[in-house]
Amino acid sequence: MTTILHHPLWIGLALATALPAQTPPPAPPAPAAADANAPVPITVFATLPAYESPRLSPNGMKVVAKQAVGGQQVLVVSDLFGGGKPALLGAPENTDINWWRWVNDDWLIVGVGTQQMLYGTDVYITRMIGISADLKKSNRIDWDKSGLRADNVLWTAHDGSPRILLSRQTGIEREEDYNPAVFEVDVSTGRSRRIVGGRNNIYDWYADGEGQVRAAYQYSDQTRRSALLYRANNNEEFRVIARRERRDEDGLTVPITFRADGSAIAFDDEGGFTSVYEVSLPDLALGKKLYSLEGYDVDGITDNATENDIAGVSVTDRHRRNVWFDPKLKTLQENIDKAVGDRRARLVSWDKARDRFLVEVGAPNQAGGLYYWDSGQAAMKRVGWSSAALQGRRLSPVSTIRYAARDGTPIEAVLTMPRHRPGQKNLPLIVLPHGGPSARDSEGWDWWTQYLAELGYVVIQPNYRGSSGYGTAFARKGAGEWGLKMQDDLNDAVTHLAKQGIADPKRVCMVGASYGGYAAMRAAQRDGGLYRCAVSYAGVSDLAALRRYDSQFLNGRTIGDWLRKQAPDFQTVSPRFHAAEFSTPILLMHGKQDKRVPVAQSRMLAAELKRAGKAHRYVEQPLGDHFFSRSEDRLQFLREMTDFLKAHNPA
C-alpha cells in the first residue's frame, strides 16, 4: 500500500498564503558620521537581516526573498522600485520554509518541511507547493502521494511554461515507493505525470538542460556499494557505467552539467582538491581541468542560461566569490568590483536574459546591502540595506590568519579585533568554532562575531581539521578526532594568539552552536584549565543518541559508519557521560523547535550537570529553532550570553 502522511500543519501552510499584504516598516535614518564610533545597541545585532536568499524573476521585474517582518522571517514577493504592495507568505508554527525559486514570471515553487511522529519515531517530512507570484493561489504538489522526501527539483523549463521535473518518493511501505521516481509537474495546476519510475537503491537523479533524465546515483546501504547509471537521452535504457566498492578510496565522478557536444562537467578531487573538469561520456574519462584553486576546494558551479555548459564557479579562499568564464559576466563582475572599492560584491541572482542582476555588496565589518543592476543603466540601484539601523556603517575589522597546530597541521582562522580597543594587547578572547563540522568560516559579515567584538572581545574562528574546503587530506585528518585533535586545534589558537600578545590566555571562553556547541561542552569538560567559561547553543552532548536520530529510514548504516569514523568511541567523547569532569561554568541554550539537533541533547546534559552539582545554566526557547530565525530568540540569546560572560570573563 502507499502510505499517506497527514499533518495539520500542511493544511495550515496552504491557508497561510492568504495572509494580507503588508508594507514593511520604513528604515530608520542612517547614523550621522559623528556617531560612527558610538556603541551599537544589542537590539541591532539581534535584528534579522532584511533579505535572505533573494531571487530575481525571469523578466527581472520582481524579487522573492525571506524578509524580516515583525521580528520573524516570512517569504515576500515584491515589485522592484515601486508597483503594488508586497505579498507575504508566512508559515505556521513548527513548519519551515526551506527554499524558493521562480518557475516563470507567474509561478514560484517553495519547499517546506515539518516534524512528524511516524511509527514512534520523530522524522522530518518535506513537501513542495506551487504558488502564484501574487501569492493568492497555491497548489500542493502530490502531498498525499509522497513519502518522506518530495522536494528535489531536477529541472525548470526554459520555454516560459510552468513545468518542472521533480524527484520524490511515492510512499514508505514498499521499497519501490521509497525509492524516488521522477515526475513532470505543471505547478500552475499541480498535475504531474511519471517520467522515470523508482529503482532499487537509487536516490539521486540528474537531468540535462532539455529536461531529459540522464543519470542516476545508486547506493546500497547494506553492501556500501555504489554505481552510476547513464543514458544519452530519454529514449535509451539506463546502464551502469561505473561502480565503487566500500573499500575504494576514490568516489564516483558524477556528471553535473551535460554539454551540447555530448561531454559533461564534473567535480573530481584528483590531486587532493576538488576541481572542475571536462569528462567524456559514457566512459567518465577526465579531460581538461577547467578550474582549480590552489590550497582550496571549488564550492560549486554556475551553468549558462540553457544549462548545457558552465558559466562560472563559486570558490572560498579568504572570502566567498564567483569566478566567471562567461565573457559578459566576467566583465560585469570586474566593473562592479571597481565600482564598490574596498567592499566586496557578489552576483546572487539574475533574470533569464542575464541582463539584470541582484548584487550583494558589503564587507566583513559591514552588513552592506542588496543592489539591482540593469546592464542598460549607468549605475546600480540599492534595493535595501541588510541592516536598516547600521546601513553602510563599518564595525570591527576582520582578517584571516594562519597558525600551526601542535602536530604541525596548518590551521586557517578568521580573526575579529574589537574596534574600540585598537593597539591594545592581551585582550579577553572568545574561541568561536563553526558548526558542521564539515563546514568552514571565512571573512564575511557575522552578527554574532561582531556583537562579541563590540563588547570588547577578540574573536577567533578556527577552521579546525575536518573543516570543508581544504582538500581531502585535511578532511581526513578530522576522521576519529571529534573532541580530540579537533579540540586541540581550537586550544592551539589560544596559544598562538597569546604568543602574539593579542590575547590574554587567562581570560578565554569558548562559545559555539551545533558542532561548535559540542566543542564548547567538551572544552568545559576536558579543558577547564584553559577556559573560564563556555557557551553552547544547540550543542550535541550524546553522539550515540544523535546517531539514532539521524539514521532513521534512509541509509542508516551509512550514516552510522560516517559518525563512527568521526568518533570511534561515542562514550569517551560525549560530554553527557562525563558531567563529573566539568570544571568550568557553562551556559546551555537550545530551541525546542530545533529539527537539526534535538533539544534533548541539551536537556540530557543539563540534567547530568545538575545531578553532579556542576555550575551551569540551562535556557530553553519554546519557539527557537536551529538557525535563529526569530529576532526575539536572537535577542534573548545575546542577553543571556552577555550576562554569562560578564560574570565569568568580563571584557
Side-chain angles (χ1 to χ4, degrees):
M1 63 173 287
T2 299
T3 297
I4 299 175
L5 301 175
H6 295 287
H7 196 289
L9 294 184
W10 296 133
I11 300 172
L13 186 66
L15 295 176
T17 61
L19 285 172
Q22 301 177 28
T23 301
D35 297 329
N37 292 320
V40 179
I42 188 174
T43 52
V44 171
F45 294 100
T47 302
L48 296 170
Y51 295 89
E52 180 182 321
S53 300
R55 296 290 178 262
L56 197 61
S57 62
N59 62 9
M61 303 303 292
K62 292 179 180 290
V63 62
V64 60
K66 264 190 181 177
Q67 293 189 31
V69 177
Q72 299 189 41
Q73 289 182 314
V74 297
L75 202 62
V76 178
V77 178
S78 54
D79 293 317
L80 283 165
F81 309 112
K85 290 184 177 181
L88 279 64
L89 169 65
E93 184 179 329
N94 204 33
T95 299
D96 302 322
I97 296 178
N98 293 324
W99 57 263
W100 46 93
R101 63 192 284 186
W102 293 94
V103 178
N104 60 17
D105 292 323
D106 300 316
W107 286 90
L108 306 102
I109 46 178
V110 178
V112 297
T114 192
Q115 295 289 126
Q116 180 173 338
M117 190 64 66
L118 188 63
Y119 302 134
T121 303
D122 205 21
V123 296
Y124 194 67
I125 314 294
T126 63
R127 291 291 187 268
M128 192 182 73
I129 52 177
I131 302 180
S132 61
D134 58 10
L135 300 189
K136 292 181 178 179
K137 301 177 183 177
S138 65
N139 296 310
R140 297 187 291 178
I141 308 300
D142 291 336
W143 279 18
D144 293 336
K145 301 176 184 177
S146 302
L148 304 182
R149 303 287 180 265
D151 66 341
N152 185 17
V153 178
L154 308 181
W155 170 83
T156 303
H158 298 290
D159 60 4
S161 63
R163 295 179 299 124
I164 64 169
L165 290 185
L166 173 67
S167 170
R168 65 170 178 83
Q169 296 171 333
T170 56
I172 61 172
E173 297 290 342
R174 302 180 304 177
E175 187 173 0
E176 55 263 41
D177 294 324
Y178 201 69
N179 296 302
V182 180
F183 295 81
E184 182 182 280
V185 180
D186 183 330
V187 301
S188 67
T189 63
R191 295 172 183 167
S192 65
R193 64 185 182 94
R194 192 187 302 253
I195 302 297
V196 180
R199 300 191 178 204
N200 188 38
N201 293 325
I202 288 180
Y203 302 107
D204 293 310
W205 297 96
Y206 302 88
D208 63 18
E210 296 180 356
Q212 299 191 94
V213 182
R214 299 286 299 278
Y217 179 75
Q218 186 178 53
Y219 181 79
S220 170
D221 193 39
Q222 299 286 338
T223 66
R224 317 310 203 266
R225 293 175 179 171
S226 59
L228 185 70
L229 282 68
Y230 170 78
R231 66 183 183 185
N233 54 62
N234 282 353
N235 296 322
E236 292 187 359
E237 294 295 322
F238 283 101
R239 65 188 189 278
V240 175
I241 61 172
R243 297 184 188 274
R244 289 291 184 273
E245 301 290 336
R246 181 180 183 182
R247 62 181 177 272
D248 291 334
E249 285 291 321
D250 295 332
L252 286 170
T253 299
V254 179
I256 299 173
T257 299
F258 298 90
R259 303 172 96 179
D261 63 4
S263 65
I265 308 293
F267 291 119
D268 197 276
D269 58 8
E270 183 174 288
F273 294 89
T274 301
S275 303
V276 182
Y277 289 86
E278 294 177 343
V279 296
S280 59
L281 295 172
D283 60 3
L284 294 177
L286 291 183
K288 179 182 177 182
K289 181 190 288 187
L290 298 177
Y291 190 81
S292 62
L293 182 62
E294 185 176 357
Y296 301 93
D297 296 322
V298 176
D299 297 332
I301 69 170
T302 301
D303 285 335
N304 63 6
T306 53
E307 295 184 274
N308 64 6
D309 211 336
I310 187 172
V313 299
S314 56
V315 298
T316 306
D317 38 27
R318 288 173 49 216
H319 61 95
R320 293 174 60 198
R321 58 191 176 89
N322 297 319
V323 178
W324 298 108
F325 307 150
D326 179 279
K328 176 180 176 181
L329 297 178
K330 183 178 181 180
T331 300
L332 175 66
Q333 183 73 59
E334 291 172 350
N335 290 338
I336 293 176
D337 288 343
K338 292 176 182 177
V340 301
D342 66 342
R343 294 174 295 166
R344 294 165 183 170
R346 192 166 65 91
L347 308 181
V348 295
S349 186
W350 39 81
D351 66 345
K352 182 178 180 180
R354 302 197 175 184
D355 290 327
R356 298 165 174 169
F357 301 86
L358 292 177
V359 187
E360 289 181 348
V361 179
N365 64 343
Q366 181 198 65
L370 182 68
Y371 292 78
Y372 175 79
W373 187 311
D374 186 326
S375 299
Q377 303 296 321
M380 292 191 295
K381 298 179 181 179
R382 189 171 59 245
V383 177
W385 294 106
S386 180
S387 169
L390 292 174
Q391 299 195 0
R393 189 173 172 182
R394 301 289 186 111
L395 298 184
S396 294
V398 180
S399 62
T400 298
I401 67 167
R402 292 172 179 83
Y403 63 91
R406 63 192 65 182
D407 65 355
T409 299
I411 304 295
E412 190 172 77
V414 180
L415 179 68
T416 304
M417 297 295 296
R419 65 190 180 103
H420 293 301
R421 310 178 81 165
Q424 294 186 33
K425 298 289 187 180
N426 301 316
L427 296 172
L429 174 65
I430 299 295
V431 179
L432 186 66
H434 60 71
S438 297
R440 61 171 293 198
D441 285 314
S442 61
E443 295 177 17
W445 173 260
D446 183 278
W447 61 275
W448 192 348
T449 302
Q450 287 291 329
Y451 174 70
L452 288 167
E454 192 73 6
L455 293 180
Y457 296 98
V458 174
V459 184
I460 185 74
Q461 298 169 273
N463 287 312
Y464 45 84
R465 69 191 68 206
S467 298
S468 59
Y470 296 98
T472 54
F474 191 80
R476 287 174 184 148
K477 281 181 177 288
E481 299 298 343
W482 275 44
L484 300 172
K485 289 184 179 179
M486 290 164 69
Q487 204 75 19
D488 293 341
D489 293 344
L490 302 175
N491 297 346
D492 292 341
V494 179
T495 303
H496 173 77
L497 293 178
K499 287 182 178 179
Q500 299 291 316
I502 295 172
D504 182 349
K506 296 181 180 180
R507 291 193 292 163
V508 186
C509 284
M510 186 179 290
V511 179
S514 199
Y515 177 87
Y518 162 80
M521 294 174 180
R522 187 76 166 136
Q525 172 231 323
R526 193 192 80 151
D527 303 307
L530 185 60
Y531 298 97
R532 297 183 64 170
C533 64
V535 178
S536 167
Y537 189 89
V540 177
S541 70
D542 183 343
L543 273 68
L546 182 68
R547 178 186 182 275
R548 291 191 295 270
Y549 179 79
D550 276 346
S551 61
Q552 305 147 353
F553 296 101
L554 183 62
N555 290 342
R557 289 185 175 88
T558 302
I559 293 172
D561 286 350
W562 178 84
L563 198 52
R564 281 287 183 195
K565 192 174 182 180
Q566 311 313 307
D569 185 349
F570 289 165
Q571 186 95 1
T572 298
V573 298
S574 292
R576 175 193 176 189
F577 302 107
H578 306 280
E581 300 172 14
F582 275 66
S583 57
T584 193
I586 185 168
L587 169 65
L588 303 172
M589 293 190 67
H590 214 122
K592 189 177 180 180
Q593 307 301 329
D594 193 330
K595 304 175 187 69
R596 182 66 59 85
V597 177
V599 67
Q601 288 284 336
S602 289
R603 287 176 178 173
M604 291 186 296
L605 179 58
E608 295 297 332
L609 291 173
K610 182 177 181 180
R611 189 175 294 112
K614 298 297 181 177
H616 74 285
R617 174 169 169 75
Y618 177 54
V619 179
E620 191 169 297
Q621 297 180 319
L623 300 179
D625 58 18
H626 196 72
F627 304 105
F628 288 115
S629 60
R630 295 180 352 117
S631 59
E632 182 179 341
D633 295 326
R634 289 192 182 194
L635 182 58
Q636 183 188 21
F637 169 72
L638 292 180
R639 284 175 171 163
E640 288 281 353
M641 179 178 65
T642 302
D643 291 343
F644 195 79
L645 291 174
K646 283 182 178 179
H648 300 288
N649 189 32

